């Protein structure tokens, strides 16, 4: 149980295009999902917290107009990188708290984005 | 300084015990975690400990928490080559429920 999936697992796009990444909790409902970013050989940095049915809360320094987050249901959150640039190339990882189990956070396998 | 600090690298021989250390600054953290990340993959939750506990054991894994010194360690007994990975220490910010991670310790297990 407690499986989180991400799609796609990797994507290459041209500079200026937008890319959508999906995060799904497969066997549980998640009232809260989180989006992290990881640069090579570095730690994970929280980008935003996504609550079902409400606007995401972004961390300081993260542009909400560039990284659009939608949490439309209890099992799906999406991150859209708009007008992507090479500096947006990174590993994006989502995680989810099962409903009623806030102390456990399960991570997706990550999405590697490369912007040319 | 960083909120969570870990040494960058640890090398052990197969069959030995590994001890990965972590120090943190947030005294209000209620849960502390250890995650494992293999190359190109997401994070696997290994274990976590509540801040009012000193120790937690789960099969080959032993977590020790010294809350006074804000020091957390993960001991892996009988380390195997499959344990080679990056290990992240993290704590939960109870206000946001998000996790703050250390920089990760790369564990290399020599056959």
């Amino acid at each position: 149980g407690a499986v989180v999936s991400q799609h796609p697992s990797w994507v290459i796009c041209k500079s200026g295009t937008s890319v959508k990444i999906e995060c799904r909790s497969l066997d549980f409902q998640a009232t809260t999902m989180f989006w992290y970013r990881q640069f090579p050989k570095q730690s994970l940095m929280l980008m935003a917290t996504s609550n079902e049915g409400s606007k995401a809360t972004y961390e300081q320094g993260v542009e909400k107009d560039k990284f659009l987050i939608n949490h439309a249901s209890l099992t799906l959150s999406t991150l859209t990188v708009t007008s992507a640039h090479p500096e947006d190339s990174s590993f994006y990882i989502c995680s989810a708290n099962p409903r009623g189990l806030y102390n456990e956070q399960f991570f997706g396998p990550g999405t590697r984005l490369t912007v040319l | 300084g960083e909120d969570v600090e870990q040494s960058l690298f640890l090398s052990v021989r197969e069959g030995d015990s590994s001890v990965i250390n972590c120090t943190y600054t947030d005294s209000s953290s209620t849960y502390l975690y250890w995650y494992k990340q293999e190359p190109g993959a997401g994070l696997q939750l290994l274990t976590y400990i509540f801040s009012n506990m000193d120790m937690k054991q789960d099969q080959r894994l032993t977590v020790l928490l010294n809350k006074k010194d804000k020091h957390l360690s993960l001991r892996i007994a009988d380390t195997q080559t499959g344990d080679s990975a990056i290990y992240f220490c993290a704590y939960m910010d109870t206000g946001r429920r998000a996790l703050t991670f250390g920089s990760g310790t790369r564990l290399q297990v020599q056959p």
Side-chain angles (χ1 to χ4, degrees):
Chain A
V3 178
V4 177
S5 71
Q6 281 185 241
H7 178 79
S9 54
W10 60 269
V11 56
I12 301 172
C13 69
K14 291 184 179 179
S15 190
T17 60
S18 294
V19 174
K20 181 187 281 189
I21 302 169
E22 292 186 348
C23 176
R24 291 183 187 271
S25 54
L26 297 185
D27 50 4
F28 64 95
Q29 292 185 330
T31 47
T32 305
M33 288 184 169
F34 303 89
W35 287 96
Y36 295 83
R37 184 174 179 177
Q38 185 181 30
F39 289 105
K41 298 185 179 179
Q42 292 189 28
S43 188
L44 281 75
M45 300 300 294
L46 179 68
M47 298 175 66
T49 302
S50 166
N51 291 297
E52 186 264 339
S54 64
K55 289 183 179 180
T57 303
Y58 290 82
E59 293 300 295
Q60 194 172 7
V62 178
E63 298 175 58
K64 62 180 181 181
D65 294 330
K66 179 164 189 62
F67 299 99
L68 300 179
I69 291 171
N70 184 280
H71 193 154
S73 76
L74 287 171
T75 59
L76 173 66
S77 177
T78 60
L79 167 68
T80 301
V81 183
T82 62
S83 187
H85 290 284
E87 58 265 28
D88 299 324
S89 298
S90 189
F91 195 52
Y92 292 89
I93 306 178
C94 73
S95 68
N97 274 141
R99 188 184 227 178
L101 200 65
Y102 80 94
N103 58 303
E104 293 198 19
Q105 204 169 115
F106 297 94
F107 284 76
T111 296
R112 182 159 303 284
L113 170 64
T114 302
V115 184
L116 302 176
Chain B
E2 297 291 331
D3 290 339
V4 185
E5 291 193 0
Q6 297 179 241
S7 53
L8 292 179
F9 184 75
L10 175 66
S11 180
V12 300
R13 289 195 177 276
E14 192 173 18
D16 288 349
S17 292
S18 307
V19 179
I20 302 171
N21 295 299
C22 168
T23 56
Y24 59 97
T25 57
D26 188 344
S27 58
S28 65
S29 55
T30 54
Y31 290 96
L32 298 114
Y33 302 81
W34 284 103
Y35 282 87
K36 176 183 180 183
Q37 185 179 37
E38 298 188 57
L43 273 70
Q44 175 192 352
L45 175 63
L46 291 177
T47 186
Y48 65 91
I49 188 168
F50 189 50
S51 60
N52 69 352
M53 297 170 64
D54 298 324
M55 184 182 88
K56 181 178 180 182
Q57 187 158 1
D58 184 0
Q59 299 182 341
R60 292 192 296 125
L61 305 179
T62 303
V63 178
L64 294 178
L65 174 61
N66 182 327
K67 197 172 181 182
K68 174 176 170 287
D69 293 339
K70 297 179 188 170
H71 182 267
L72 182 75
S73 68
L74 173 70
R75 179 177 180 271
I76 306 172
D78 187 25
T79 313
Q80 302 298 307
T81 54
D83 295 324
S84 294
I86 298 175
Y87 290 80
F88 289 95
C89 163
Y91 70 82
M92 174 178 284
D93 179 326
T94 50
R96 300 181 303 175
R97 296 188 185 178
L99 299 185
T100 298
F101 286 87
S103 54
T105 299
R106 180 177 295 276
L107 174 65
Q108 182 179 54
V109 182
Q110 310 271 13

